mmCIF file with all atom_site columns, all heavy atoms in Angstrom:
data_model
loop_
_atom_site.group_PDB
_atom_site.id
_atom_site.type_symbol
_atom_site.label_atom_id
_atom_site.label_alt_id
_atom_site.label_comp_id
_atom_site.label_asym_id
_atom_site.label_entity_id
_atom_site.label_seq_id
_atom_site.pdbx_PDB_ins_code
_atom_site.Cartn_x
_atom_site.Cartn_y
_atom_site.Cartn_z
_atom_site.occupancy
_atom_site.B_iso_or_equiv
_atom_site.pdbx_formal_charge
_atom_site.auth_seq_id
_atom_site.auth_comp_id
_atom_site.auth_asym_id
_atom_site.auth_atom_id
_atom_site.pdbx_PDB_model_num
ATOM 1   N N   . ALA A 1 36 ? -21.407 2.832   -6.680  1.00 0.00 ? 1183 ALA A N   1
ATOM 2   C CA  . ALA A 1 36 ? -22.210 1.891   -7.535  1.00 0.00 ? 1183 ALA A CA  1
ATOM 3   C C   . ALA A 1 36 ? -21.787 0.480   -7.272  1.00 0.00 ? 1183 ALA A C   1
ATOM 4   O O   . ALA A 1 36 ? -22.581 -0.414  -7.150  1.00 0.00 ? 1183 ALA A O   1
ATOM 5   C CB  . ALA A 1 36 ? -21.968 2.293   -9.016  1.00 0.00 ? 1183 ALA A CB  1
ATOM 6   N N   . ASN A 1 37 ? -20.385 0.309   -7.275  1.00 0.00 ? 1184 ASN A N   1
ATOM 7   C CA  . ASN A 1 37 ? -19.908 -1.066  -7.048  1.00 0.00 ? 1184 ASN A CA  1
ATOM 8   C C   . ASN A 1 37 ? -18.602 -1.034  -6.190  1.00 0.00 ? 1184 ASN A C   1
ATOM 9   O O   . ASN A 1 37 ? -17.895 -0.053  -6.265  1.00 0.00 ? 1184 ASN A O   1
ATOM 10  C CB  . ASN A 1 37 ? -19.588 -1.761  -8.361  1.00 0.00 ? 1184 ASN A CB  1
ATOM 11  C CG  . ASN A 1 37 ? -20.845 -2.070  -9.194  1.00 0.00 ? 1184 ASN A CG  1
ATOM 12  O OD1 . ASN A 1 37 ? -21.657 -2.900  -8.852  1.00 0.00 ? 1184 ASN A OD1 1
ATOM 13  N ND2 . ASN A 1 37 ? -20.940 -1.387  -10.359 1.00 0.00 ? 1184 ASN A ND2 1
ATOM 14  N N   . VAL A 1 38 ? -18.342 -2.120  -5.544  1.00 0.00 ? 1185 VAL A N   1
ATOM 15  C CA  . VAL A 1 38 ? -17.079 -2.311  -4.810  1.00 0.00 ? 1185 VAL A CA  1
ATOM 16  C C   . VAL A 1 38 ? -16.402 -3.481  -5.555  1.00 0.00 ? 1185 VAL A C   1
ATOM 17  O O   . VAL A 1 38 ? -16.940 -4.526  -5.745  1.00 0.00 ? 1185 VAL A O   1
ATOM 18  C CB  . VAL A 1 38 ? -17.326 -2.676  -3.307  1.00 0.00 ? 1185 VAL A CB  1
ATOM 19  C CG1 . VAL A 1 38 ? -16.001 -3.034  -2.630  1.00 0.00 ? 1185 VAL A CG1 1
ATOM 20  C CG2 . VAL A 1 38 ? -17.957 -1.444  -2.684  1.00 0.00 ? 1185 VAL A CG2 1
ATOM 21  N N   . TYR A 1 39 ? -15.074 -3.247  -5.852  1.00 0.00 ? 1186 TYR A N   1
ATOM 22  C CA  . TYR A 1 39 ? -14.334 -4.216  -6.596  1.00 0.00 ? 1186 TYR A CA  1
ATOM 23  C C   . TYR A 1 39 ? -13.222 -4.782  -5.683  1.00 0.00 ? 1186 TYR A C   1
ATOM 24  O O   . TYR A 1 39 ? -12.533 -4.047  -4.978  1.00 0.00 ? 1186 TYR A O   1
ATOM 25  C CB  . TYR A 1 39 ? -13.699 -3.573  -7.796  1.00 0.00 ? 1186 TYR A CB  1
ATOM 26  C CG  . TYR A 1 39 ? -14.703 -3.135  -8.828  1.00 0.00 ? 1186 TYR A CG  1
ATOM 27  C CD1 . TYR A 1 39 ? -15.334 -1.880  -8.747  1.00 0.00 ? 1186 TYR A CD1 1
ATOM 28  C CD2 . TYR A 1 39 ? -15.091 -3.912  -9.932  1.00 0.00 ? 1186 TYR A CD2 1
ATOM 29  C CE1 . TYR A 1 39 ? -16.292 -1.421  -9.667  1.00 0.00 ? 1186 TYR A CE1 1
ATOM 30  C CE2 . TYR A 1 39 ? -15.943 -3.493  -10.832 1.00 0.00 ? 1186 TYR A CE2 1
ATOM 31  C CZ  . TYR A 1 39 ? -16.565 -2.292  -10.682 1.00 0.00 ? 1186 TYR A CZ  1
ATOM 32  O OH  . TYR A 1 39 ? -17.571 -1.873  -11.627 1.00 0.00 ? 1186 TYR A OH  1
ATOM 33  N N   . THR A 1 40 ? -13.086 -6.043  -5.742  1.00 0.00 ? 1187 THR A N   1
ATOM 34  C CA  . THR A 1 40 ? -12.067 -6.753  -4.877  1.00 0.00 ? 1187 THR A CA  1
ATOM 35  C C   . THR A 1 40 ? -11.608 -8.030  -5.580  1.00 0.00 ? 1187 THR A C   1
ATOM 36  O O   . THR A 1 40 ? -12.237 -8.474  -6.510  1.00 0.00 ? 1187 THR A O   1
ATOM 37  C CB  . THR A 1 40 ? -12.647 -7.069  -3.506  1.00 0.00 ? 1187 THR A CB  1
ATOM 38  O OG1 . THR A 1 40 ? -11.639 -7.509  -2.653  1.00 0.00 ? 1187 THR A OG1 1
ATOM 39  C CG2 . THR A 1 40 ? -13.729 -8.078  -3.563  1.00 0.00 ? 1187 THR A CG2 1
ATOM 40  N N   . ASN A 1 41 ? -10.487 -8.532  -5.091  1.00 0.00 ? 1188 ASN A N   1
ATOM 41  C CA  . ASN A 1 41 ? -9.999  -9.840  -5.652  1.00 0.00 ? 1188 ASN A CA  1
ATOM 42  C C   . ASN A 1 41 ? -10.347 -10.897 -4.686  1.00 0.00 ? 1188 ASN A C   1
ATOM 43  O O   . ASN A 1 41 ? -10.468 -10.711 -3.393  1.00 0.00 ? 1188 ASN A O   1
ATOM 44  C CB  . ASN A 1 41 ? -8.449  -9.767  -5.751  1.00 0.00 ? 1188 ASN A CB  1
ATOM 45  C CG  . ASN A 1 41 ? -7.973  -8.813  -6.793  1.00 0.00 ? 1188 ASN A CG  1
ATOM 46  O OD1 . ASN A 1 41 ? -8.654  -8.544  -7.830  1.00 0.00 ? 1188 ASN A OD1 1
ATOM 47  N ND2 . ASN A 1 41 ? -6.884  -8.141  -6.602  1.00 0.00 ? 1188 ASN A ND2 1
ATOM 48  N N   . ASP A 1 42 ? -10.555 -12.147 -5.265  1.00 0.00 ? 1189 ASP A N   1
ATOM 49  C CA  . ASP A 1 42 ? -10.981 -13.243 -4.444  1.00 0.00 ? 1189 ASP A CA  1
ATOM 50  C C   . ASP A 1 42 ? -9.916  -13.674 -3.421  1.00 0.00 ? 1189 ASP A C   1
ATOM 51  O O   . ASP A 1 42 ? -8.712  -13.630 -3.722  1.00 0.00 ? 1189 ASP A O   1
ATOM 52  C CB  . ASP A 1 42 ? -11.206 -14.496 -5.391  1.00 0.00 ? 1189 ASP A CB  1
ATOM 53  C CG  . ASP A 1 42 ? -12.759 -14.571 -5.649  1.00 0.00 ? 1189 ASP A CG  1
ATOM 54  O OD1 . ASP A 1 42 ? -13.552 -14.363 -4.671  1.00 0.00 ? 1189 ASP A OD1 1
ATOM 55  O OD2 . ASP A 1 42 ? -13.123 -14.957 -6.778  1.00 0.00 ? 1189 ASP A OD2 1
ATOM 56  N N   . ASP A 1 43 ? -10.391 -14.045 -2.259  1.00 0.00 ? 1190 ASP A N   1
ATOM 57  C CA  . ASP A 1 43 ? -9.559  -14.559 -1.208  1.00 0.00 ? 1190 ASP A CA  1
ATOM 58  C C   . ASP A 1 43 ? -10.215 -15.820 -0.729  1.00 0.00 ? 1190 ASP A C   1
ATOM 59  O O   . ASP A 1 43 ? -11.408 -15.882 -0.523  1.00 0.00 ? 1190 ASP A O   1
ATOM 60  C CB  . ASP A 1 43 ? -9.411  -13.552 -0.044  1.00 0.00 ? 1190 ASP A CB  1
ATOM 61  C CG  . ASP A 1 43 ? -8.384  -13.969 1.026   1.00 0.00 ? 1190 ASP A CG  1
ATOM 62  O OD1 . ASP A 1 43 ? -8.129  -15.167 1.146   1.00 0.00 ? 1190 ASP A OD1 1
ATOM 63  O OD2 . ASP A 1 43 ? -7.908  -13.036 1.689   1.00 0.00 ? 1190 ASP A OD2 1
ATOM 64  N N   . TYR A 1 44 ? -9.415  -16.977 -0.623  1.00 0.00 ? 1191 TYR A N   1
ATOM 65  C CA  . TYR A 1 44 ? -10.092 -18.260 -0.476  1.00 0.00 ? 1191 TYR A CA  1
ATOM 66  C C   . TYR A 1 44 ? -10.036 -18.769 0.999   1.00 0.00 ? 1191 TYR A C   1
ATOM 67  O O   . TYR A 1 44 ? -10.432 -19.903 1.235   1.00 0.00 ? 1191 TYR A O   1
ATOM 68  C CB  . TYR A 1 44 ? -9.366  -19.259 -1.397  1.00 0.00 ? 1191 TYR A CB  1
ATOM 69  C CG  . TYR A 1 44 ? -9.217  -18.660 -2.817  1.00 0.00 ? 1191 TYR A CG  1
ATOM 70  C CD1 . TYR A 1 44 ? -7.955  -18.220 -3.163  1.00 0.00 ? 1191 TYR A CD1 1
ATOM 71  C CD2 . TYR A 1 44 ? -10.281 -18.505 -3.584  1.00 0.00 ? 1191 TYR A CD2 1
ATOM 72  C CE1 . TYR A 1 44 ? -7.826  -17.634 -4.450  1.00 0.00 ? 1191 TYR A CE1 1
ATOM 73  C CE2 . TYR A 1 44 ? -10.177 -17.867 -4.901  1.00 0.00 ? 1191 TYR A CE2 1
ATOM 74  C CZ  . TYR A 1 44 ? -8.947  -17.462 -5.318  1.00 0.00 ? 1191 TYR A CZ  1
ATOM 75  O OH  . TYR A 1 44 ? -8.808  -16.889 -6.469  1.00 0.00 ? 1191 TYR A OH  1
ATOM 76  N N   . GLU A 1 45 ? -9.518  -17.954 1.892   1.00 0.00 ? 1192 GLU A N   1
ATOM 77  C CA  . GLU A 1 45 ? -9.452  -18.399 3.287   1.00 0.00 ? 1192 GLU A CA  1
ATOM 78  C C   . GLU A 1 45 ? -10.796 -18.273 3.992   1.00 0.00 ? 1192 GLU A C   1
ATOM 79  O O   . GLU A 1 45 ? -11.587 -17.476 3.603   1.00 0.00 ? 1192 GLU A O   1
ATOM 80  C CB  . GLU A 1 45 ? -8.336  -17.592 4.053   1.00 0.00 ? 1192 GLU A CB  1
ATOM 81  C CG  . GLU A 1 45 ? -6.919  -17.818 3.414   1.00 0.00 ? 1192 GLU A CG  1
ATOM 82  C CD  . GLU A 1 45 ? -5.897  -17.033 4.180   1.00 0.00 ? 1192 GLU A CD  1
ATOM 83  O OE1 . GLU A 1 45 ? -6.243  -16.353 5.207   1.00 0.00 ? 1192 GLU A OE1 1
ATOM 84  O OE2 . GLU A 1 45 ? -4.695  -17.082 3.762   1.00 0.00 ? 1192 GLU A OE2 1
ATOM 85  N N   . PRO A 1 46 ? -11.007 -19.120 5.029   1.00 0.00 ? 1193 PRO A N   1
ATOM 86  C CA  . PRO A 1 46 ? -12.360 -19.082 5.676   1.00 0.00 ? 1193 PRO A CA  1
ATOM 87  C C   . PRO A 1 46 ? -12.797 -17.735 6.180   1.00 0.00 ? 1193 PRO A C   1
ATOM 88  O O   . PRO A 1 46 ? -13.956 -17.328 5.906   1.00 0.00 ? 1193 PRO A O   1
ATOM 89  C CB  . PRO A 1 46 ? -12.121 -20.082 6.852   1.00 0.00 ? 1193 PRO A CB  1
ATOM 90  C CG  . PRO A 1 46 ? -11.041 -21.011 6.386   1.00 0.00 ? 1193 PRO A CG  1
ATOM 91  C CD  . PRO A 1 46 ? -10.203 -20.161 5.537   1.00 0.00 ? 1193 PRO A CD  1
ATOM 92  N N   . TYR A 1 47 ? -11.899 -16.973 6.852   1.00 0.00 ? 1194 TYR A N   1
ATOM 93  C CA  . TYR A 1 47 ? -12.293 -15.729 7.332   1.00 0.00 ? 1194 TYR A CA  1
ATOM 94  C C   . TYR A 1 47 ? -12.690 -14.779 6.116   1.00 0.00 ? 1194 TYR A C   1
ATOM 95  O O   . TYR A 1 47 ? -13.702 -14.052 6.162   1.00 0.00 ? 1194 TYR A O   1
ATOM 96  C CB  . TYR A 1 47 ? -11.223 -15.028 8.082   1.00 0.00 ? 1194 TYR A CB  1
ATOM 97  C CG  . TYR A 1 47 ? -11.345 -13.488 8.255   1.00 0.00 ? 1194 TYR A CG  1
ATOM 98  C CD1 . TYR A 1 47 ? -12.274 -12.938 9.066   1.00 0.00 ? 1194 TYR A CD1 1
ATOM 99  C CD2 . TYR A 1 47 ? -10.611 -12.625 7.399   1.00 0.00 ? 1194 TYR A CD2 1
ATOM 100 C CE1 . TYR A 1 47 ? -12.511 -11.570 9.087   1.00 0.00 ? 1194 TYR A CE1 1
ATOM 101 C CE2 . TYR A 1 47 ? -10.798 -11.334 7.449   1.00 0.00 ? 1194 TYR A CE2 1
ATOM 102 C CZ  . TYR A 1 47 ? -11.721 -10.758 8.312   1.00 0.00 ? 1194 TYR A CZ  1
ATOM 103 O OH  . TYR A 1 47 ? -11.926 -9.405  8.363   1.00 0.00 ? 1194 TYR A OH  1
ATOM 104 N N   . ALA A 1 48 ? -11.920 -14.819 5.128   1.00 0.00 ? 1195 ALA A N   1
ATOM 105 C CA  . ALA A 1 48 ? -12.218 -13.993 3.966   1.00 0.00 ? 1195 ALA A CA  1
ATOM 106 C C   . ALA A 1 48 ? -13.545 -14.279 3.298   1.00 0.00 ? 1195 ALA A C   1
ATOM 107 O O   . ALA A 1 48 ? -14.306 -13.429 2.884   1.00 0.00 ? 1195 ALA A O   1
ATOM 108 C CB  . ALA A 1 48 ? -11.075 -14.103 2.957   1.00 0.00 ? 1195 ALA A CB  1
ATOM 109 N N   . ARG A 1 49 ? -13.844 -15.517 3.186   1.00 0.00 ? 1196 ARG A N   1
ATOM 110 C CA  . ARG A 1 49 ? -15.145 -15.959 2.613   1.00 0.00 ? 1196 ARG A CA  1
ATOM 111 C C   . ARG A 1 49 ? -16.284 -15.470 3.467   1.00 0.00 ? 1196 ARG A C   1
ATOM 112 O O   . ARG A 1 49 ? -17.373 -14.962 2.932   1.00 0.00 ? 1196 ARG A O   1
ATOM 113 C CB  . ARG A 1 49 ? -15.165 -17.517 2.434   1.00 0.00 ? 1196 ARG A CB  1
ATOM 114 C CG  . ARG A 1 49 ? -14.150 -18.000 1.457   1.00 0.00 ? 1196 ARG A CG  1
ATOM 115 C CD  . ARG A 1 49 ? -14.107 -19.539 1.341   1.00 0.00 ? 1196 ARG A CD  1
ATOM 116 N NE  . ARG A 1 49 ? -15.269 -20.037 0.694   1.00 0.00 ? 1196 ARG A NE  1
ATOM 117 C CZ  . ARG A 1 49 ? -15.367 -21.299 0.308   1.00 0.00 ? 1196 ARG A CZ  1
ATOM 118 N NH1 . ARG A 1 49 ? -14.369 -22.124 0.535   1.00 0.00 ? 1196 ARG A NH1 1
ATOM 119 N NH2 . ARG A 1 49 ? -16.436 -21.728 -0.288  1.00 0.00 ? 1196 ARG A NH2 1
ATOM 120 N N   . GLU A 1 50 ? -16.129 -15.608 4.803   1.00 0.00 ? 1197 GLU A N   1
ATOM 121 C CA  . GLU A 1 50 ? -17.212 -15.100 5.667   1.00 0.00 ? 1197 GLU A CA  1
ATOM 122 C C   . GLU A 1 50 ? -17.312 -13.595 5.630   1.00 0.00 ? 1197 GLU A C   1
ATOM 123 O O   . GLU A 1 50 ? -18.419 -13.016 5.606   1.00 0.00 ? 1197 GLU A O   1
ATOM 124 C CB  . GLU A 1 50 ? -16.930 -15.523 7.133   1.00 0.00 ? 1197 GLU A CB  1
ATOM 125 C CG  . GLU A 1 50 ? -16.902 -17.078 7.367   1.00 0.00 ? 1197 GLU A CG  1
ATOM 126 C CD  . GLU A 1 50 ? -16.401 -17.474 8.677   1.00 0.00 ? 1197 GLU A CD  1
ATOM 127 O OE1 . GLU A 1 50 ? -16.032 -16.570 9.463   1.00 0.00 ? 1197 GLU A OE1 1
ATOM 128 O OE2 . GLU A 1 50 ? -16.367 -18.685 8.882   1.00 0.00 ? 1197 GLU A OE2 1
ATOM 129 N N   . ARG A 1 51 ? -16.151 -12.894 5.560   1.00 0.00 ? 1198 ARG A N   1
ATOM 130 C CA  . ARG A 1 51 ? -16.146 -11.465 5.431   1.00 0.00 ? 1198 ARG A CA  1
ATOM 131 C C   . ARG A 1 51 ? -16.847 -10.999 4.140   1.00 0.00 ? 1198 ARG A C   1
ATOM 132 O O   . ARG A 1 51 ? -17.656 -10.074 4.165   1.00 0.00 ? 1198 ARG A O   1
ATOM 133 C CB  . ARG A 1 51 ? -14.667 -10.985 5.427   1.00 0.00 ? 1198 ARG A CB  1
ATOM 134 C CG  . ARG A 1 51 ? -14.526 -9.489  5.170   1.00 0.00 ? 1198 ARG A CG  1
ATOM 135 C CD  . ARG A 1 51 ? -13.079 -9.161  4.781   1.00 0.00 ? 1198 ARG A CD  1
ATOM 136 N NE  . ARG A 1 51 ? -12.826 -9.858  3.455   1.00 0.00 ? 1198 ARG A NE  1
ATOM 137 C CZ  . ARG A 1 51 ? -11.629 -10.199 3.029   1.00 0.00 ? 1198 ARG A CZ  1
ATOM 138 N NH1 . ARG A 1 51 ? -10.552 -10.045 3.748   1.00 0.00 ? 1198 ARG A NH1 1
ATOM 139 N NH2 . ARG A 1 51 ? -11.438 -10.780 1.861   1.00 0.00 ? 1198 ARG A NH2 1
#
Side-chain angles (χ1 to χ4, degrees):
N1184 293 294
V1185 172
Y1186 295 83
T1187 186
N1188 293 327
D1189 262 322
D1190 189 333
Y1191 315 104
E1192 298 182 2
Y1194 160 75
R1196 295 175 70 169
E1197 294 170 4
R1198 175 202 63 206

